[in-house]
Amino acid sequence: MDHLFDDEDLQATGLKLPTTAWLGFDHDTTQSYGVVDFETYPLLRGWTQAELLDLTFGRLSRSVSYTLSMLQSWFTLGFLEATFRQRFRTRDFVSGDQVFRTRFLRQFTKEKIGEVYDMPDAEVVQFLEALDEAQKMVYQWTVKLELQGNKTSKDLKEERIAPTMRLCTLIGEAIRHFQDVSSMICLSWLKREGPSWRYSDLNRNLLIQQLVKKGWCPSTFELLFKTSHSTIELAALLEAKDLKSGRHQGCTKNSCIAYQLLEETYQTSHVDSSCACSFIAAPPHRLATILRQGEVPVLNLDALLDDSNEETVTSLKGKANVIAFSHVWSDGPRQPC
Ligand SMILES: [Zn+2]
Ligand SMILES: [Zn+2]
C-alpha cells in the first residue's frame, strides 16, 4: 500500500506501513519474457493449463515456496504488465530488504496520465479497454484461487496466498482509480462496471482485527467496508479519533454502546488525564438576545479563552470566516458543517 503515501506523508504522520516480503521469483532474468496478457504469464514460464487448474482446487505440482513466489510475481508484476502493456521490473518494487513496495506506482501513474492526455480519443478508448480486460481477468483468478468451497486439497493454504491476494486487490483498486481519472479526459469512453475488488474473508478478518486493536468501533465497519480497501487499510493504521482506549470493546457490528450515554451518571473528562482545564461557556443572555433578534450568534474563541479583549459573542453580519458545528457531543466528537 506504499503507493498511497509519499515520503512527506509518512514523515509527517510517522505511520509504519505493513510490509510484504518478496518471495524471490526471478521475473527479470531467467523468467524474463515479453509482455503478455494475464493468463499467458505463467504459461510462458513453463506452467501448464492443468497445473493452473490444479491451483484453483488447492493442489500443487511444484514446491509450495516456488508456487507462492510465482503467484506473487504473476498477481503483481504480471497484473501490471497485462494492464499497461509494458514491462515492469522487480527492482522498481523490491530493494535490498526484499520487501515488495508499490511506491513506484505513484510516479508511474503520474507520468502515464500525462501520456493519456496526449493520446487521441480512439487510442484512449483502446487503452482503457485493455485496463478493463486485465482487471476482469485478474479478478476472476483471485476469486478462483480464494474460493474455499471448491478446494479438494490443502496443499495451497489460504493463509499462504493471502498476502499476495491483498497486494493484488490494492493494486487493482489503484488501477481502477487510475482508470476513472483517465476516463474523464476521453469523451467517447462509455464507463463500464468494473470488478469491485474485495478482500477474501481471511484478509477481511485480519483487517478487522487490526481496526479493533486501533480502537475503531465495530459498528462503523460496515460503513468503512463500503469505501475502498485502501481507505480501510489507512484507517487500520491510525488510532481511532476516540482516544479513550478500549472504549468500544463492548460494541457489536450493529450497535455502539460507548455512545449510549446515561445523562445521570455521565461525567465529562479531559482528553489527556493530566489536563486540568475548566469549562468555557458563552454568556447565555448574549446568545439569547442575538437569537431573539433573529440573528446568528458567533463565538470568538480567543475572547472566550481570555486571549483577546474583543466581545465573546457577536452577531453574524455580512461575510465572515467562521467554523460551524451542527452539534457537539459532550464526549468530544463533533460534526462540523
Ligand atoms: Zn462503539
Ligand atoms: Zn482539559
Side-chain angles (χ1 to χ4, degrees):
M1 58 185 296
D2 301 66
H3 58 278
L4 303 174
F5 304 92
D6 60 22
D7 283 334
E8 261 177 43
D9 295 336
L10 287 182
Q11 264 166 17
T13 54
L15 289 178
K16 289 260 172 298
L17 303 185
T19 55
T20 308
W22 175 244
L23 303 175
F25 189 74
D26 188 8
H27 171 81
D28 295 316
T29 46
T30 59
Q31 301 291 331
S32 172
Y33 294 92
V35 172
V36 285
D37 67 44
F38 185 72
E39 273 182 329
T40 311
Y41 184 95
L43 300 177
L44 209 56
R45 288 160 175 85
W47 293 68
T48 64
Q49 290 279 13
E51 280 182 296
L52 298 181
L53 186 65
D54 269 353
L55 286 179
T56 65
F57 293 110
R59 285 195 298 267
L60 297 184
S61 53
R62 309 190 188 204
S63 75
V64 179
S65 57
Y66 187 70
T67 306
L68 288 172
S69 73
M70 189 283 286
L71 286 175
Q72 188 184 49
S73 189
W74 184 22
F75 280 83
T76 53
L77 302 174
F79 182 8
L80 288 165
E81 290 191 350
T83 303
F84 292 104
R85 295 273 144 202
Q86 66 181 74
R87 283 282 293 162
F88 282 82
R89 295 160 309 176
T90 312
R91 66 169 177 273
D92 292 327
F93 298 87
V94 182
S95 45
D97 58 2
Q98 295 303 299
V99 167
F100 187 90
R101 292 191 177 85
T102 51
R103 179 77 55 84
F104 172 75
L105 291 179
R106 283 183 82 85
Q107 188 58 30
F108 172 80
T109 48
K110 208 184 272 177
E111 285 169 17
K112 199 78 197 167
I113 206 83
E115 281 178 39
V116 178
Y117 260 108
D118 293 336
M119 284 180 193
D121 247 25
E123 214 176 299
V124 181
V125 170
Q126 235 176 18
F127 173 74
L128 293 173
E129 266 166 5
L131 256 64
D132 239 21
E133 276 310 304
Q135 281 185 87
K136 263 187 232 150
M137 198 181 282
V138 180
Y139 180 72
Q140 282 165 10
W141 269 97
T142 61
V143 173
K144 281 193 261 188
L145 283 179
E146 288 183 319
L147 196 68
Q148 291 308 299
N150 66 344
K151 298 288 178 279
T152 55
S153 165
K154 293 262 179 239
D155 288 352
L156 186 60
K157 291 197 170 55
E158 193 187 1
E159 58 272 25
R160 300 296 296 273
I161 57 163
T164 291
M165 296 294 113
R166 174 179 164 275
L167 263 183
C168 175
T169 301
L170 292 173
I171 292 174
E173 280 188 354
I175 293 173
R176 184 109 209 103
H177 176 67
F178 175 80
Q179 191 179 18
D180 282 345
V181 175
S182 316
S183 65
M184 284 179 219
I185 33 183
C186 177
L187 295 174
S188 49
W189 169 253
L190 295 171
K191 206 171 165 182
R192 278 82 156 163
E193 190 69 35
S196 41
W197 291 100
R198 71 182 301 272
Y199 276 2
S200 64
D201 289 347
L202 178 69
N203 274 332
R204 189 184 156 101
N205 289 337
L206 289 172
L207 195 50
I208 284 178
Q209 278 171 22
Q210 181 66 13
L211 287 168
V212 170
K213 218 157 90 186
K214 289 287 185 183
W216 290 86
C217 178
S219 69
T220 60
F221 294 167
E222 202 183 315
L223 200 66
L224 267 180
F225 274 93
K226 282 185 184 151
T227 63
S228 65
H229 292 81
S230 318
T231 309
I232 314 168
E233 286 278 1
L234 173 62
L237 291 175
L238 304 167
E239 298 291 334
K241 278 282 175 217
D242 196 337
L243 294 170
K244 293 168 196 161
S245 70
R247 232 185 132 193
H248 294 282
Q249 273 175 2
C251 303
T252 66
K253 66 182 172 56
N254 296 321
S255 69
C256 175
I257 294 167
Y259 289 152
Q260 311 301 320
L261 298 181
L262 291 174
E263 294 284 347
E264 311 83 57
T265 54
Y266 178 72
Q267 286 193 327
T268 49
S269 60
H270 300 272
V271 169
D272 177 351
S273 56
S274 63
C275 176
C277 67
S278 48
F279 280 104
I280 54 167
H285 64 277
R286 270 296 288 154
L287 292 171
T289 309
I290 293 171
L291 287 170
R292 274 198 202 100
Q293 287 165 352
E295 294 170 2
V296 178
V298 178
L299 310 185
N300 182 329
L301 193 61
D302 286 338
L304 284 168
L305 291 170
D306 284 337
D307 287 341
S308 146
N309 290 327
E310 292 168 14
E311 282 235 62
T312 53
V313 186
T314 52
S315 177
L316 182 64
K317 297 256 162 61
K319 281 189 181 170
N321 293 325
V322 296
I323 299 171
F325 294 98
S326 64
H327 52 277
V328 181
W329 298 85
S330 55
D331 59 344
R334 63 208 67 85
Q335 292 183 334
C337 52

